[in-house]
Amino acid sequence: MYDLLLRQCRLLQTDRTIAEVDVAIKGGAIVEIAPNITGSAKLTLDIQGQLVSPPFVESHIHLDSALTAGEPRWNQSGTLFEGIEIWRERKQNLSLEDVKARAIETLRQQAVQGVLFVRSHADVSETSLTALQALLEVREEVKDWMTLQVVAFPQDGIYGSPQNDILIEKSLDMGADVVGGIPHYELTREDGVKSVHRIFELAQKYDRLIDIHCDETDDHQSRFLEVVAANAIHTDLGARVTASHTTAFGSYDNAYAIKLLGFLRRTQINFIANPLINITLQGRTDSYPKRRGVTRVKELWQQNMNVSFGHDCIQDPWYSLGTGNMLDVAFMGLHVCQMTGIAEIDACYDMVTWNGAKTLNLTDRYGIEVGKPANLIVLNARDRYDAIRRRATVHYVISQGKLLVRTESSRTMWHNDY
Ligand code: 17E
Ligand code: FE2
């Protein structure tokens, strides 16, 4: 007797081919994948040839600031820097209850839309470490249905004020999964370089992953990605390292960018682009032509580097919109990065699924295969291209072997006399 049986799936497999099969689940794991499985289950779902995919992965979001747009004021300039200032005001009155309630509401919103793996930054440049404490508690509270990784992210810089270096180390003691940073926002280039070295030192000391907000600026002289690459090469930690945003990479001249790309290929660094946010935050000091302000996603992908797409913000000082829908993210990403070829569109789907799982170092438990944890979603689509094009509805979300969410189709009636 299975716990759950999914009949007539169009299963998106790890090799990205589609198989018409049934999927059987028991004890939280996938136990059989085959056409016409015999046997019964406590719950059988007729999938009717819809697409069954591994869940979406949100590789980059700030849950501590989610759902605060307009508090205490709206971002008028639309820049990263005004966002940081507004958040500095808002974070003066954080409480555990405030952060936890917004984070959980956001995670629920994400789960409804098929996201079951999330990496969130928590601002740790605030002396009470309330945001971090709250997200660590949330990580525990949601763990039966959502996997949450927490990054100790020093929004105001590790060397921006004297206590920040102590706070980031304390955050790792408290249990943050990932060490963060923001070298382009340190007071000087020297401090920025020093911060990257410090991040690697902390990651090694505490055995944690690394995810750095890196070169999130249109300043073509912001060159901390090369420092990250050098550290990754020297430490051989590349696969455990992520460079987020790297928007300046889109502003470097080709002579430098092509050299850098060669160095990056010697690492296994992961990249995260946040197209919804950076298409709006960047380019604000340009008149025309106006830059897109997104990193070189297509070129990194063509070089077989691991790139994922993140949402970054949902209704916060940096971005007042968003629902957490990763197909919106992929849709925006393919437009901004001009990834309109069919293989490129499929790649954009991978950037919100498999590639994100790789960034989070979760590949061994991700994907729909016998023996793996039963995490999967059912989309009203035929394939990856169709899912992105129509930003398909997620009808079922199955987390750790249990049905977590069911969403009914909205029904449109075409009038008989037309
Ligand atoms: N903080 C930051 O430095 N950059 C961002 N894009 C967000 C917060 C959302
Ligand atoms: Fe971010």
Side-chain angles (χ1 to χ4, degrees), residues 62 80 84 153 155 182 213 216 245 277 281 312-313 318:
H62 298 255
L80 169 66
I84 294 175
F153 170 53
Q155 176 70 78
I182 184 163
H213 279 64
E216 189 186 9
H245 297 290
I277 308 315
L281 286 182
D312 204 12
C313 313
W318 295 275

Side-chain angles (χ1 to χ4, degrees), residues 56-158:
F56 293 121
V57 179
E58 170 58 272
S59 54
H60 188 122
I61 191 161
H62 298 255
L63 288 175
D64 54 355
S65 54
L67 314 183
T68 65
E71 301 171 10
R73 58 197 167 84
W74 296 88
N75 187 334
Q76 295 299 338
S77 66
T79 58
L80 169 66
F81 304 113
E82 186 175 343
I84 294 175
E85 281 160 24
I86 295 170
W87 173 240
R88 195 173 291 136
E89 290 172 41
R90 178 61 174 81
K91 75 189 180 193
Q92 302 312 314
N93 44 39
L94 291 182
S95 67
L96 280 179
E97 298 70 40
D98 165 40
V99 179
K100 286 176 71 175
R102 288 184 289 98
I104 289 175
E105 186 179 337
T106 308
L107 289 166
R108 283 180 171 276
Q109 215 170 292
Q110 291 171 305
V112 164
Q113 299 176 92
V115 177
L116 290 181
F117 300 93
V118 172
R119 175 181 283 178
S120 173
H121 296 261
D123 184 0
V124 297
S125 48
E126 171 271 315
T127 47
S128 67
L129 293 180
T130 304
L132 178 81
Q133 181 62 38
L135 293 189
L136 293 177
E137 288 180 23
V138 169
R139 180 181 72 186
E140 185 60 24
E141 286 174 27
V142 302
K143 71 172 192 305
D144 290 341
W145 52 275
M146 173 72 86
T147 300
L148 176 61
Q149 280 184 0
V150 180
V151 187
F153 170 53
Q155 176 70 78
D156 298 333
I158 297 181

